[in-house]
């Protein structure tokens, strides 16, 4: 089963939930840190990295001698990664989305494959837990291709937990699409509610079952719970706003390691997800 832990905004505790859920399940679990722009799962897991792979993506390389300046490559590119000025085609690598459409329409065969480095894929272990995480190159804007590369590791274990990036844009979709369940994490504040609405709408478009975890649950008001009830979004877990939990987090210590009694709570969260998705019956 693939569970993507997501949130409409940053700072809600998405990584906290993903890490503690993974640790509570023990072996046969893979954690994918797909928040490649600001990965922080390693700060809590301290994985032993056994492999680092450079990840690259396609960009067009134009042979000026063969190019006829027909503009077909520029016309097909919806991201303006190619522009024709006079009799010369110019490539803007940072804008390229690697669709390779330019190569398909070039009748002069003037376009060949070149590559741009996106970042690094790190793989290793944190105890019995398998870990894979992406680290986007500084200055790089295209994170979805790197996220997709991290997700190629998602079938290594019976259960895969994905720590998705915050927000509801393309990187988040890349981290949620194809998952069996999306575990939304929010906080009971006006900002948390606003961005939760956006995240719920994104999950609806993808058609993936989802549930809600409310972090710092005793803050704010009841607006998040009322919204969840109106949407039929089940609140699967609540984490209180407690100094001892915040202190453990600030020291980079997972909740289940500092407070072992929380292991059973996160295991119960997983079993509730199994019941919603029907995974428990499938295993039987």
């Amino acid at each position: 089963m693939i569970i993507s832990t997501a949130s409409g905004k940053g700072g809600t505790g998405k990584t906290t939930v993903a890490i503690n859920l993974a640790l509570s399940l023990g072996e046969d679990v893979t954690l994918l840190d797909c928040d490649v722009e600001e990965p922080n799962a390693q700060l809590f897991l301290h994985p032993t990295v056994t492999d680092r792979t450079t990840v690259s993506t396609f960009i067009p390389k134009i042979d000026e001698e063969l190019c006829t300046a027909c503009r077909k490559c520029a016309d097909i590119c919806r991201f303006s990664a190619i522009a024709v000025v006079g009799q010369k085609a110019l490539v803007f690598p940072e804008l390229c989305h690697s669709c390779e459409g330019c190569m398909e329409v070039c009748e002069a065969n003037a376009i060949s494959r070149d590559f741009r480095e996106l970042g690094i894929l790190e793989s290793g272990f944190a105890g019995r837990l398998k870990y894979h995480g992406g680290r986007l190159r500084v200055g790089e804007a295209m994170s979805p291709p790197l996220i997709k590369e991290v997700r190629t590791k998602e079938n290594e274990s019976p259960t895969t937990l994905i720590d998705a990036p915050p927000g509801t844009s393309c990187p988040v979709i890349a981290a949620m699409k194809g998952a069996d369940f999306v575990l939304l994490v929010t906080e009971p504040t006006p900002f948390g509610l606003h961005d939760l609405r956006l995240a719920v709408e994104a999950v609806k478009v993808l058609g993936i079952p989802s549930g809600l975890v409310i972090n710092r649950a005793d803050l704010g008001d009841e607006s998040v719970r009322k919204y969840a009830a109106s949407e039929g979004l089940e609140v699967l877990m609540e984490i209180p706003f407690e100094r001892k939990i915040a202190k453990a987090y600030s020291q980079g210590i997972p909740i289940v390691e500092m407070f072992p009694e929380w292991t059973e709570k996160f295991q119960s969260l997983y079993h509730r997800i199994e019941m919603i998705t029907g995974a428990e019956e499938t295993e039987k």
Side-chain angles (χ1 to χ4, degrees), residues 4-275:
S4 183
T5 307
S7 64
K9 66 183 288 293
T12 60
K14 162 179 55 62
T15 299
T16 297
V17 171
I19 287 173
N20 284 281
L21 183 56
L23 292 174
S24 69
L25 297 178
E27 57 187 9
D28 292 332
V29 177
T30 297
L31 178 70
L32 306 182
D33 191 348
C34 289
D35 189 1
V36 298
E37 294 184 61
E38 42 189 12
N40 61 349
Q42 77 279 1
L43 299 178
F44 299 90
L45 296 175
H46 306 289
T48 299
V49 176
T50 57
D51 183 65
R52 286 185 175 88
T53 305
T54 299
V55 179
S56 302
T57 189
F58 163 86
I59 57 171
K61 181 179 181 181
I62 299 177
D63 187 329
E64 295 182 5
E65 294 184 1
L66 296 177
C67 179
T68 61
C70 67
R71 299 189 59 89
K72 289 183 178 180
C73 57
D75 291 339
I76 198 175
C77 185
R78 292 295 176 264
F79 300 97
S80 302
I82 300 179
V84 178
V85 180
Q87 295 298 308
K88 186 175 182 179
L90 304 177
V91 176
F92 301 93
E94 295 80 9
L95 300 178
C96 179
H97 281 56
S98 306
C99 71
E100 302 189 19
C102 53
M103 290 187 64
E104 294 295 326
V105 299
C106 182
E107 297 178 355
N109 294 321
I111 301 178
S112 58
R113 286 183 173 83
D114 201 356
F115 297 93
R116 179 178 85 250
E117 181 181 332
L118 289 174
I120 296 173
L121 171 60
E122 297 181 332
S123 302
F125 295 87
R128 296 177 298 173
L129 181 69
K130 294 179 182 178
Y131 167 83
H132 301 281
R135 192 179 298 274
L136 197 68
R137 178 178 63 84
V138 175
E140 177 59 53
M142 291 291 295
S143 63
L146 181 55
I147 292 173
K148 292 176 182 177
E149 189 66 27
V150 176
R151 290 197 60 182
T152 62
K153 307 296 183 179
E154 64 189 24
N155 294 318
E156 292 185 347
S157 304
T159 301
T160 298
L161 300 175
I162 298 173
D163 183 12
T168 53
S169 58
C170 295
V172 183
I173 301 302
M176 292 195 302
K177 190 174 181 180
D180 297 305
F181 190 85
V182 174
L183 188 58
L184 297 169
V185 184
T186 191
E187 57 189 15
T189 64
F191 287 116
L193 175 59
H194 176 272
D195 291 349
L196 175 63
R197 293 179 186 270
L198 299 176
V200 168
E201 292 303 316
V203 173
K204 284 182 181 179
V205 172
L206 295 174
I208 304 173
S210 61
L212 183 64
V213 172
I214 302 178
N215 191 24
R216 297 185 281 271
D218 40 0
L219 291 178
D221 53 32
E222 294 296 313
S223 57
V224 166
R225 293 177 182 84
K226 290 179 180 178
Y227 169 73
S230 69
E231 290 289 332
L233 184 64
E234 186 177 355
V235 178
L236 302 178
M237 186 183 199
E238 294 190 7
I239 302 174
F241 182 56
E242 294 183 357
R243 182 182 181 88
K244 62 181 183 180
I245 293 178
K247 184 177 181 180
Y249 178 88
S250 68
Q251 295 174 342
I253 304 174
I255 299 174
V256 295
E257 289 186 2
M258 181 67 80
F259 312 106
E261 64 271 18
W262 274 88
T263 299
E264 185 175 344
K265 296 179 181 180
F266 278 98
Q267 289 173 345
S268 296
L269 169 63
Y270 180 75
H271 293 320
R272 293 183 72 178
I273 294 173
E274 281 187 316
M275 292 177 64

